[in-house]
Amino acid sequence: MQAKKTLLLLLACTISSICLAFNPSPFHHEIASRHRKRCSQPHQKRHHDSRFMMIPINSQPLLDSSDQILAAWTFAFASSHIGMSATRSSIIRSLGETVNSLNLVGNEGWELPVWWPGDNTGGNKIFPDNLTAGRQIYRGLYTAVSFLTLGSAFGAYLHSSSVAFDISGEQSTLLHNACLVSAALSFGAAIASLVNASPLGLMPSFEATTDDVDNSGSLAGIRRDDALKFTTKGLTRITRHPLILPVVPWGIATSVLAGGRPCDAILFGGLSIYAMAGCYAQDLRVIREEGSVGTVFQTESRDTKEGVSEEEQERTRLRSFFEQTSFIPFKAVYDGRQSLDDIVREAPWLQFFLGTIAGIYVEEKILQLLAEWSA
């Protein structure tokens, strides 16, 4: 009962804080007006020149060239990430073997700082074994591909000449407020998931150190233990993808707040589609036992089984986690696999509350920057 009262209080504070921010932001209208002015002349000229073409006067391409480039880069971002995740195990294995052939695995000179929160697999060594080395290099490649594809998509987005939809008056204010709520709550959920990680995600998990384990590499009494992510708790009782799925409502809301142009739908709506497709692809790999997903290190020997490979133990744990959780939020609660009371008691509400408040500022800042950069 006390937990429920605390939850209601935090939700009330969150909603009240959002309402205080509801002097409708000028950025939504500013973006729309700027793009109407910038794009009106080219479209008028194209309309005039169409008299000399053997096509109907009102015939216009669904997307202009800049939007087509944007769509291509957005698709490249989504497909490359899903593709790299689908072939993750073989990529990691190949990278690990390559690093080992260069005599970098187990190299005493390649170590993290002593204050870095490491794990028990190899202490502070960056490449303690082939598998860990492959994972480290894989993360670097994954990040590089992200910067290349998503950065190029954003560049194409800023050069788009799409025309914003004309939504004004009371409808615009209501839509703006609803989308801002959605974006802020999504941001809060994603922030909260950083301390309530899933084994299907890339975020690590940490715990307080104890006297009966090796505390080397711990920082301020905290050490990394990704094996903790296999235990359903808090947000993972709601969905097994607490970090990525909030991108879906955020992307939809931001596409409207940014002006509702085709380029907004392509970039931000495309990120929403990518989030759903990526999470679903992860689920399929778990079901088909096609290899590892997320980032999980074997950090404790307490749950290991002699004669069973680490990869097989990880698959077993993932299957168990998968069976207890759901892709669709709250579906596991609906069908009885999880309890709403457990969610209320375990979820990181403080982080969710602070993340939602920060989400209001971040979303407004994003809109402001988009208005300035698109001018």
Side-chain angles (χ1 to χ4, degrees), residues 255-272:
S255 69
V256 176
L257 292 171
R261 297 164 293 148
C263 65
D264 299 316
I266 293 172
L267 179 60
F268 299 110
L271 291 177
S272 295

Side-chain angles (χ1 to χ4, degrees), residues 184-196:
L185 292 176
S186 300
F187 192 85
I191 291 298
S193 72
L194 300 182
V195 296
N196 192 171

Side-chain angles (χ1 to χ4, degrees), residues 244-259:
I244 303 301
L245 278 186
V247 172
V248 177
W250 175 84
I252 295 173
T254 302
S255 69
V256 176
L257 292 171

Side-chain angles (χ1 to χ4, degrees), residues 46-79:
R46 195 180 305 143
H47 178 80
H48 175 76
D49 292 344
S50 64
R51 292 179 302 169
F52 304 101
M53 299 179 182
M54 299 301 293
I55 57 175
I57 290 178
N58 293 329
S59 177
Q60 296 286 352
L62 180 62
L63 300 176
D64 62 21
S65 59
S66 60
D67 285 346
Q68 293 173 9
I69 295 174
L70 169 60
W73 277 116
T74 303
F75 179 78
F77 168 77
S79 59

Side-chain angles (χ1 to χ4, degrees), residues 153-192:
F154 189 67
Y157 169 83
L158 293 179
H159 288 85
S160 174
S161 58
S162 298
V163 180
F165 294 122
D166 187 6
I167 302 176
S168 58
E170 184 178 347
Q171 182 182 8
S172 176
T173 301
L174 179 62
L175 182 61
H176 176 276
N177 292 348
C179 290
L180 183 59
V181 170
S182 178
L185 292 176
S186 300
F187 192 85
I191 291 298

Side-chain angles (χ1 to χ4, degrees), residues 30 57 62 84 186 318 330 345:
E30 185 178 350
I57 290 178
L62 180 62
M84 287 184 68
S186 300
L318 280 173
F330 291 102
R345 184 177 63 256

Side-chain angles (χ1 to χ4, degrees), residues 90-140:
S90 59
I91 294 176
I92 289 177
R93 192 176 299 109
S94 298
L95 291 173
E97 292 173 354
T98 301
V99 174
N100 185 46
S101 67
L102 298 175
N103 296 321
L104 298 178
V105 174
N107 191 319
E108 297 295 334
W110 292 69
E111 291 190 350
L112 296 166
V114 294
W115 45 265
W116 189 269
D119 53 59
N120 282 354
T121 304
N124 281 10
K125 292 186 178 67
I126 296 179
F127 299 147
D129 52 56
N130 287 10
L131 187 60
T132 303
R135 283 170 170 164
Q136 302 282 39
I137 301 298
Y138 173 85
R139 280 198 218 97

Side-chain angles (χ1 to χ4, degrees), residues 207-223:
E207 68 174 352
T209 57
T210 58
D211 296 334
D212 57 341
V213 297
D214 181 12
N215 293 332
S216 60
S218 65
L219 174 64
I222 298 175
R223 62 184 294 276

